[in-house]
Amino acid sequence: MKLPALHTVLSPALLHLYDLNNTIVVIIDVFRATSTIATALYNGAEKVIPVDSVAQCIAIGNATPNSITAGERDGKVIEGLQYGNSPGDYPASFIKGKTLVLTTTNGTKMLHMALNNGAAEIITGSFPNLSAVANYLIQQKKQVILGCSAWKDKFNLEDTLFAGAVIQQIAPHFHIHCDSSLMAAEMYAMHQNNMHQFIRKTTHWHRLAAYGLEKDLEYCVTPDVANILPIYKNGALQIG
């Protein structure tokens, strides 16, 4: 039986080079959008509505009962929104039963790009829900794009490392003939046992640590602490 293909896209700027028809796209934004999405849903959020503009975030929040507007640009809470993009902001005691309307610098942008380019299905992934993502991709037996949100279209390490972690778990079930996937898998294999030390070298760590977010960032590279699967349906992410 022919195995489905898997590719890793290292930046939104490269997404247009790939055919997304009949393909599951995994949106990856480890620091911090997809880590926050998994955490909010794991802690009982009814759904997460990802939007790509601040104005839309505010408008949907105003129109949605029991909702919270949240988002960041360049690592900071956006003026006019209520909360930021930190997983630690959304414990069960706060988020349970509520709708999170979220806009971020990179992750929500990548999600809407995938939608606009014809993705058959969209899920979100990060280390906190690593196993849920891997298990789902194995079960579905469909072509996969691991879509790294990067940083303003520039390559980043943390999203690529997560792609490598997924590949390590699912490689026997896919046809992988893709240099970016090979790089991601080799890089993760090299650093998986010292992730908390290695990740401190990344530019995004230094950018966000300047805002006092080190604990958030350590959480974002910890596997399976919010191990649910967010699936995009009818304009929102919900547990699949």
Side-chain angles (χ1 to χ4, degrees), residues 3-8 146 166-168 170-182 185:
L3 295 175
L6 179 148
H7 291 89
T8 300
L146 300 176
V166 172
I167 291 165
Q168 186 181 86
I170 71 175
H173 303 272
F174 288 85
H175 173 71
I176 304 175
H177 190 62
C178 161
D179 284 355
S180 51
S181 296
L182 174 61

Side-chain angles (χ1 to χ4, degrees), residues 62-180:
N62 289 337
T64 305
N66 202 25
S67 67
I68 294 159
T69 59
E72 54 81 17
R73 289 293 183 272
D74 302 329
K76 300 176 185 177
V77 179
I78 299 166
E79 186 176 349
L81 302 184
Q82 296 164 298
Y83 293 92
N85 183 31
S86 292
D89 290 344
Y90 303 102
S93 58
F94 172 62
I95 195 64
K96 189 173 182 180
K98 295 175 181 165
T99 294
L100 178 61
V101 187
L102 180 68
T103 183
T104 67
T105 305
N106 306 294
T108 55
K109 169 189 167 185
M110 182 68 159
L111 188 150
H112 284 278
M113 287 180 67
L115 277 176
N116 294 335
N117 281 275
E121 186 174 351
I122 291 175
I123 65 174
T124 65
S126 62
F127 285 98
N129 69 327
L130 169 61
S131 293
V133 169
N135 292 338
Y136 183 77
L137 295 178
I138 291 170
Q139 291 164 6
Q140 295 306 300
K141 299 181 174 64
K142 295 180 181 176
Q143 294 187 138
V144 169
I145 292 284
L146 300 176
C148 301
S149 296
W151 172 255
K152 296 184 178 180
D153 287 342
K154 297 177 182 177
F155 171 86
N156 73 21
L157 275 171
E158 65 273 9
D159 293 350
T160 305
L161 286 165
F162 176 74
V166 172
I167 291 165
Q168 186 181 86
Q169 292 200 22
I170 71 175
H173 303 272
F174 288 85
H175 173 71
I176 304 175
H177 190 62
C178 161
D179 284 355
S180 51

Side-chain angles (χ1 to χ4, degrees), residues 226-240:
N227 199 31
I228 53 85
L229 185 78
I231 298 181
Y232 187 85
K233 291 180 181 178
N234 302 318
L237 289 153
Q238 295 178 280
I239 296 176

Side-chain angles (χ1 to χ4, degrees), residues 204-227:
H204 214 159
W205 175 284
H206 287 283
R207 187 181 300 115
L208 293 173
Y211 303 122
L213 296 170
E214 291 93 338
K215 286 187 178 179
D216 258 8
L217 302 182
E218 288 181 352
Y219 171 90
C220 290
V221 294
T222 303
D224 296 343
V225 288
N227 199 31

